[in-house]
Amino acid sequence: MINQETEALLSRVQKPGRYVGGELNSIVKDKKDIEVRFAFCFPDTYEVGMSHLGMKILYSQLNTRDYLWCERVFAPWLDMEAELRNAGLPLYALESGDSVGDFDIIGFTLQYELCYTNVLNMLELAGVPLLSRERTGLKNLVVAGGPCVCNAEPIADLIDLFFLGEGEEVDLEVCDLYRECKKSGATKEEFLTRAAQIQGVYVPAFYNIAYHDDGTVKSITPTHGAPARVKKRLMLNMDASFYPDKFVVPYIDIVHDRAVEEVFRGCIRGCRFCQAGFLYRPVREKSPKVVDRQCHDLCESTGYDEVSLSSLSTSDYTQINPLLDRMLLWSKPEKTSISLPSLRVDGFQPQVMDKIKTVRRSGLTFAPEAGTQRLRDVINKNVTEEELMKTVKTAFSGGWSTIKLYFMLGLPTETMEDVEGIAQLGQEVVDAYYANPERRKGKGVKVTVSASAFIPKPHTPFQWEPQDTMEQMKEKQMHMLHSVKSHKINPMWHDASTSLIEAVFARGDRRLGPALLEAHRRGCKMDGWEDGFSFERWLQVFHDCGIDPAFYANRRRSFDEVLPWDHMDYGISKAFLIEECKRAYAVKTTPNCRQACSNCGAAQFGGGICYEKRH
């Protein structure tokens, strides 16, 4: 509930619906009954944050505690930020309208590195000191979770406590401890010392980092009794894991404006560039009965007429056909459409296509990732051109005529022939459409080939690889463009400059902290948006702070080097990642988890597919 002063600003900004709160299913509690207040901050716009499934889950689950009130906070867009600053008003939470500075715990979810400046900007707008050491009391504890925590070192000076892995259990355990410490009058250090003993909690202030003269990390030493390696948390029984039966329904359009159901976590595939595929191992599925019930509950409580079955690769869900049979019993008469956002080329089944097209037909998206079979084997994509052609022919026969293909440029061992292969593959898809006698008459085909820049990420077999320089990347982008010979193909690529900044922070260390603060001081924010990102400003900041971005982004690292994230334990052994990197250079593929166990280390968690196969 926003106050009158804030309300007066809304007539001067775009999309005031971002800032008003009061949406259907938002949770409002009586402050006099609350002992701990938690501001769940998403460091991007309302439309992006409201589409994020993790925020929906944790917002609902934290509010199951009677003593705790979790509220939502989003980064204001540039116009609203200017209005808040001009009026001298702080950043506020949507449910109560109270300043974020009034909250006990301020939690951020870190989905991508380009949001780091928004974290700083949101803290400043809330009047909260930016550095952990400047926040001396227990109040305004700043915590963070999400995939970027797998190498949180560039923002280690800003955050008091990180959550590794899945948050359903560990977030509540930390909140329970916070409540106890607040009641007893414990100091911040006493609280953090106890929190560091909880599995999945990383307190960066309790680790000393030393460096070699060449700039590489020499050692990582824990203090205060903190563990030498911090192990991630995960939910082994997905059927029993908390899932909300209500989502907050926005007043305005958001990026993914539909009900979303998570059908499983993890991925069996082992694509060597994919960080999520390694961070979330092992695969754990929900049963069709639970997925069906949760989908129906969500559609009933929100009024949505579309539900998306979400995962890293939904066509790998072993029960997809029985699940769709169940869901169609209610979704068809209730005119609710079902969407499958993550389809593999080799997982597109005609039976599945027939079922989802009974309600609505939209464009199809596949991710071959590389233009040639050689490079697809290097990255362990494990799909063939024949499978892609078979899939698109099936789709064309079923009435689809819009296909989007995702690729990456700059993958390890890539040549210009591989780049040309992207255009050639797009051309073969176009040719397959016109060769198909069952295609829709009078309608042309539209094929988009979209190429992002490869960014080597921690905890993957390519974590030691260099990123292409800006010049190399631009050359490959132009080569892909000139290789396209048909106007039926729409080539697209991502800006290489944002990818460079992302690569710097993805594999960075604590010495980037001062540069991040300086970038914030000079106005860097909304770096994931064209309106906010300034490459020239970032380069000047790096120069003035004595940072060489190439040291972090474009340097090949040796297998012997101590990596800044070596004390983060996601359950995958370093020996396995090294072996996978060597297999990439030998152009050898590795079978997926359902075909054979590769002994990656994920079996240590005692559940999921590692044990389903063996018992």
Side-chain angles (χ1 to χ4, degrees):
M1 185 181 298
I2 61 173
N3 59 40
Q4 290 184 342
E5 288 177 291
T6 306
E7 189 175 350
L9 308 178
L10 298 183
S11 63
R12 300 196 290 272
V13 301
Q14 290 185 340
K15 299 187 179 181
R18 290 166 166 166
Y19 310 109
V20 295
E23 308 97 318
L24 177 68
N25 296 330
S26 58
I27 298 170
V28 175
K29 297 185 177 182
D30 190 334
K31 278 190 276 192
K32 72 177 187 334
D33 301 326
I34 300 302
E35 297 172 55
V36 177
R37 298 187 68 185
F38 192 115
F40 197 131
C41 302
F42 196 95
D44 208 317
T45 65
Y46 177 92
E47 293 93 318
V48 177
M50 282 292 290
S51 303
H52 183 246
L53 180 58
M55 188 173 195
K56 296 173 193 288
I57 294 173
L58 294 175
Y59 171 78
S60 296
Q61 187 179 30
L62 287 169
N63 277 311
T64 61
R65 288 283 202 270
D66 290 337
Y67 74 82
L68 189 152
W69 186 10
C70 175
E71 304 184 42
R72 296 162 298 140
V73 184
F74 301 95
W77 189 244
L78 305 174
D79 56 353
M80 184 60 173
E81 180 193 336
E83 293 292 341
L84 287 171
R85 288 186 185 278
N86 289 338
L89 295 174
L91 183 65
Y92 59 91
L94 288 182
E95 278 73 6
S96 65
D98 290 340
S99 166
V100 173
D102 293 343
F103 282 69
D104 296 295
I105 304 175
I106 301 168
F108 288 91
T109 180
L110 306 175
Q111 297 298 309
Y112 39 87
E113 292 80 2
L114 294 180
C115 75
Y116 290 168
T117 49
N118 281 356
V119 172
L120 285 164
N121 203 37
M122 291 172 77
L123 288 175
E124 183 182 85
L125 283 168
V128 175
L130 304 184
L131 293 170
S132 172
R133 62 176 177 270
E134 295 172 346
R135 300 186 296 269
T136 54
L138 196 54
K139 191 173 181 181
N140 288 168
L141 185 81
V142 177
V143 303
C148 290
V149 174
C150 75
N151 178 30
E153 296 309 288
I155 53 169
D157 293 340
L158 312 178
I159 308 294
D160 298 311
L161 179 156
F162 290 100
F163 299 108
L164 265 75
E166 297 162 10
E168 282 93 340
E169 290 177 339
V170 66
D171 285 15
L172 286 178
E173 289 168 20
V174 167
C175 287
D176 289 346
L177 176 63
Y178 184 94
R179 178 196 194 194
E180 182 186 330
C181 288
K182 183 180 177 183
K183 273 184 179 176
S184 67
T187 66
K188 179 180 176 182
E189 182 170 334
E190 289 167 343
F191 163 77
L192 290 174
T193 301
R194 292 179 63 183
Q197 299 305 313
I198 298 173
Q199 183 184 335
V201 170
Y202 171 46
V203 179
F206 292 170
Y207 292 79
N208 294 328
I209 314 297
Y211 298 91
H212 291 292
D213 291 340
D214 66 1
T216 58
V217 175
K218 181 178 182 182
S219 62
I220 302 167
T221 308
T223 65
H224 295 72
R229 300 194 77 214
V230 184
K231 188 181 285 291
K232 76 169 181 179
R233 293 289 291 271
L234 78 170
M235 305 301 296
L236 285 176
N237 184 347
M238 289 303 296
D239 273 356
S241 182
F242 176 85
Y243 203 78
D245 58 5
K246 297 180 178 67
F247 285 168
V248 178
V249 182
Y251 290 128
I252 62 174
D253 286 342
I254 59 175
V255 177
H256 299 299
D257 201 5
R258 62 183 77 96
V260 181
E261 170 67 12
E262 187 179 27
V263 294
F264 69 90
R265 286 185 187 167
C267 182
I268 62 172
R269 297 293 173 171
C271 299
R272 290 172 179 140
F273 59 85
C274 179
Q275 187 180 55
F278 292 97
L279 293 185
Y280 297 108
R281 286 190 176 198
V283 166
R284 294 144 288 149
E285 290 191 345
K286 286 183 185 176
S287 67
K289 181 180 178 182
V290 169
V291 173
D292 178 60
R293 173 176 54 78
Q294 292 178 344
C295 284
H296 203 186
D297 287 349
L298 279 175
C299 289
E300 286 195 327
S301 67
T302 60
Y304 278 123
D305 61 359
E306 181 179 1
V307 59
S308 173
L309 302 179
S310 173
S311 73
L312 291 174
S313 178
T314 299
S315 53
D316 283 331
Y317 180 56
T318 57
Q319 302 294 310
I320 187 70
N321 277 303
L323 170 63
L324 291 174
D325 288 340
R326 273 178 175 267
M327 293 182 65
L328 286 170
L329 294 176
W330 58 267
S331 64
K332 197 170 179 181
E334 295 177 17
K335 300 190 185 309
T336 299
S337 67
I338 303 166
S339 61
L340 307 177
S342 306
L343 291 176
R344 274 182 62 90
V345 166
D346 55 346
F348 187 74
Q349 307 168 29
Q351 307 97 303
V352 172
M353 188 184 75
D354 289 342
K355 286 168 184 168
I356 62 174
K357 80 175 184 180
T358 54
V359 182
R360 186 181 297 175
R361 179 185 292 117
S362 56
L364 289 171
T365 301
F366 299 105
E369 311 288 3
T372 63
Q373 193 59 49
R374 186 201 67 81
L375 194 52
R376 285 194 291 275
D377 289 345
V378 166
I379 63 175
N380 203 43
K381 188 65 184 177
N382 282 326
V383 296
T384 65
E385 187 171 320
E386 290 72 26
E387 288 169 326
L388 175 62
M389 288 303 118
K390 181 181 174 185
T391 292
V392 297
K393 287 172 184 173
T394 303
F396 292 152
S397 297
W400 273 267
S401 59
T402 301
I403 302 282
K404 189 168 188 177
L405 302 175
Y406 279 126
F407 298 90
M408 275 185 289
L409 289 173
L411 287 162
T413 81
E414 185 179 60
T415 66
M416 285 302 181
E417 286 184 0
D418 297 312
V419 177
E420 291 166 25
I422 293 173
Q424 290 166 4
L425 206 53
Q427 185 61 53
E428 288 175 34
V429 172
V430 171
D431 294 343
Y433 178 82
Y434 288 105
N436 187 348
E438 299 177 54
R439 72 179 188 274
R440 295 170 68 184
K441 304 302 179 192
K443 187 173 178 64
V445 67
K446 182 180 177 186
V447 177
T448 298
V449 292
S450 178
S452 60
F454 165 68
I455 300 171
K457 290 288 181 105
H459 303 281
T460 71
F462 290 158
Q463 65 180 351
W464 297 276
E465 294 295 311
Q467 187 185 42
D468 272 356
T469 63
M470 291 277 293
E471 292 70 26
Q472 290 171 320
M473 189 58 65
K474 288 176 180 174
E475 184 183 4
K476 289 179 178 179
Q477 289 168 344
M478 289 302 101
H479 194 62
M480 182 184 82
L481 174 64
H482 295 140
S483 299
V484 171
K485 306 299 181 189
S486 167
H487 68 281
K488 301 290 184 185
I489 301 173
N490 178 30
M492 301 175 66
W493 56 84
H494 291 223
D495 181 10
S497 58
T498 56
S499 299
L500 172 66
I501 303 302
E502 189 176 341
V504 169
F505 283 100
R507 296 192 300 168
D509 55 43
R510 293 191 182 186
R511 291 169 301 180
L512 289 172
L516 191 61
L517 281 167
E518 183 60 21
H520 163 69
R521 195 183 67 77
R522 297 189 191 184
C524 288
K525 66 186 85 166
M526 292 290 177
D527 288 311
W529 298 81
E530 286 184 9
D531 305 66
F533 182 73
S534 169
F535 188 52
E536 293 72 24
R537 187 184 297 157
W538 268 109
L539 291 182
Q540 191 62 50
V541 167
F542 286 144
H543 176 268
D544 295 348
C545 293
I547 297 291
D548 177 10
F551 175 80
Y552 296 103
N554 307 123
R555 178 174 65 90
R556 181 182 299 284
R557 306 183 187 201
S558 82
F559 291 145
D560 297 328
E561 183 176 329
V562 176
L563 301 172
W565 54 90
D566 272 352
H567 54 313
M568 302 288 104
D569 183 0
Y570 279 78
I572 309 301
S573 75
K574 201 168 183 179
F576 170 78
L577 295 177
I578 291 172
E579 177 60 24
E580 279 296 285
C581 187
K582 291 178 177 176
R583 290 177 69 85
Y585 276 88
V587 199
K588 290 182 179 176
T589 60
T590 297
N592 73 52
C593 297
R594 290 210 170 90
Q595 294 169 324
C597 176
S598 303
N599 297 311
C600 67
Q604 67 178 281
F605 294 110
I609 192 172
C610 310
Y611 286 81
E612 290 165 13
K613 283 168 61 65
R614 296 170 186 170
H615 297 286

